[in-house]
Amino acid sequence: MTATIIDGVEIANRMRAEIATQAADFKQTYGYAPGLGVVLVGDNPASRQYVRMKQRACEQAGITSVSHLLPSTATQNEVEAAVHELNDDPAVHGILVQLPMPPQIDEERVLRLVSLEKDVDGFHPLNIGLLGMKGREPIFTPATPTGCMVLLDEVGVDLDGANAVVVGRSNIVGLPVSLMLLKANATVTVCHSRTKNIADVVRGADVLIAAIGRPEYIKGDWIKPGAVVIDVGSNKVDDPTSERGYRFVGDVDYEGALNVAGAITKVPGGVGPMTITMLMVNTMKAARFLARKTAM
Ligand code: NAP
């Protein structure tokens, strides 16, 4: 069996085209564009690159962005002031606080300050809490886990009663995606660095989400035949054969999994493009909500 490739680039491009239409309609209706506010502290090259990519994608879709770029020496008060300013700015509908922040900043306090109605990252503790509660719905859900759920939906997986295994329990990927799978009525097992016999646990997965940050850690013979595999991992590895001298691989041994899985994402080109797309979806949702509220 050769797995169906779940093409995140194609799905993300299709969704971004829809978002661009929605943003144009929004502007025509309300006379202003949807807006994303960004807080970036420090000069971590990866964070700067992520922010640039997010802003470029938003601008291409007609979503404006307002940035607060603070130096790595910024104080807690300065970072909090930037968040307050974006909370109060009527041209900003969604706020993105790029993590990680420098060690002197209490990230948790910063995330709590983001207005719930503008929490397009979905990391406000109240939104995460609502995600974890039965019968409750958060206003926003985090981008990468939501992107994973969209990919599962695109491939037509029936999650009801499916055995889903999530490897990784981070606040930004593993934990929220586990909660989302549970809400979708999957039977969820979460693995982490202390899990024993992880290969055996993975072997029981109808749906596997890998989010550990270890290159090609999950081997092909761990995968249940026909399983749907979403590889969130994005790991830079040396590659003397490539022009750049490196390439990115996932947490799953792609070649080994390809002949066993029923469907699988590629790295790059799977979850990555979906993350930015879901941030844009959330920003449109926030813009519509705030515009209707203002009009009332
Ligand atoms: P993280 O915060 O470092 O968390 C890693 C998780 O994996 C932790 O829960 C850790 O367990 C677990 N883990 C580490 N080694 C393990 C092992 N040998 N066996 C089992 N579990 C293990 O990472 P993250 O932020 O969730 O990111 C995970 C990966 O996804 C990274 O490659 C990252 O670059 C990628 N990512 C991609 C996107 C995207 O848009 N494509 C977005 C976010 C992240 P403990 O909790 O026990 O320490």
Side-chain angles (χ1 to χ4, degrees), residues 26-159:
F26 180 95
K27 192 169 181 187
Q28 196 159 23
T29 307
Y30 296 104
Y32 53 87
L36 177 72
V38 178
V39 179
L40 172 64
V41 186
D43 36 29
N44 177 323
S47 294
R48 284 186 172 255
Q49 164 84 350
Y50 289 143
V51 164
R52 261 198 306 274
M53 283 164 60
K54 288 169 185 172
Q55 288 183 313
R56 198 178 314 132
C58 280
E59 276 150 25
Q60 280 168 355
I63 298 172
T64 59
S65 57
V66 177
S67 304
H68 285 258
L69 307 178
L70 294 126
S72 52
T73 52
T75 63
Q76 182 78 24
N77 280 349
E78 286 166 338
V79 178
E80 292 186 8
V83 174
H84 283 305
E85 211 173 299
L86 293 172
N87 277 341
D88 294 340
D89 186 341
V92 169
H93 306 103
I95 299 174
L96 158 70
V97 177
Q98 185 65 41
L99 301 179
M101 296 219 159
Q104 77 275 17
I105 305 299
D106 180 345
E107 289 181 354
E108 170 69 16
R109 254 180 67 180
V110 175
L111 293 179
R112 270 178 192 276
L113 286 181
V114 174
S115 155
L116 263 184
E117 294 166 346
K118 297 189 178 187
D119 178 37
V120 290
D121 258 340
F123 290 142
H124 191 291
L126 190 60
N127 270 326
I128 294 289
L130 290 168
L131 181 61
M133 291 169 81
K134 191 173 179 189
R136 307 283 165 83
E137 288 298 333
I139 307 174
F140 298 105
T141 52
T144 302
T146 311
C148 294
M149 298 303 285
V150 171
L151 293 177
L152 291 176
D153 188 52
E154 282 278 337
V155 90
V157 184
D158 183 6
L159 289 172

Side-chain angles (χ1 to χ4, degrees), residues 172-280:
I172 64 164
V173 190
L175 177 76
V177 84
S178 309
L179 298 174
M180 292 166 107
L181 288 162
L182 195 57
K183 261 204 185 339
N185 295 325
T187 302
V188 184
T189 307
V190 183
C191 301
H192 45 77
S193 64
R194 310 290 179 90
T195 300
K196 294 189 172 72
N197 302 324
I198 196 163
D200 287 343
V201 180
V202 170
R203 282 190 185 104
D206 302 313
V207 171
L208 172 67
I209 313 279
I212 52 180
R214 308 218 172 238
E216 301 176 327
Y217 185 82
I218 295 173
K219 306 302 173 203
D221 66 0
W222 299 14
I223 310 284
K224 181 175 175 178
V228 177
V229 178
I230 305 291
D231 191 351
V232 184
S234 176
N235 309 290
K236 195 173 171 180
V237 293
D238 291 339
D239 180 3
T241 66
S242 99
E243 212 171 280
R244 299 182 296 185
Y246 64 86
R247 67 192 163 98
F248 284 91
V249 298
D251 290 340
V252 178
D253 167 17
Y254 179 78
E255 293 303 329
L258 198 56
N259 291 327
V260 193
I264 188 167
T265 55
K266 267 188 167 172
V267 178
V271 176
M274 296 303 294
T275 295
I276 298 180
T277 307
M278 300 324 297
L279 176 74
M280 295 158 75

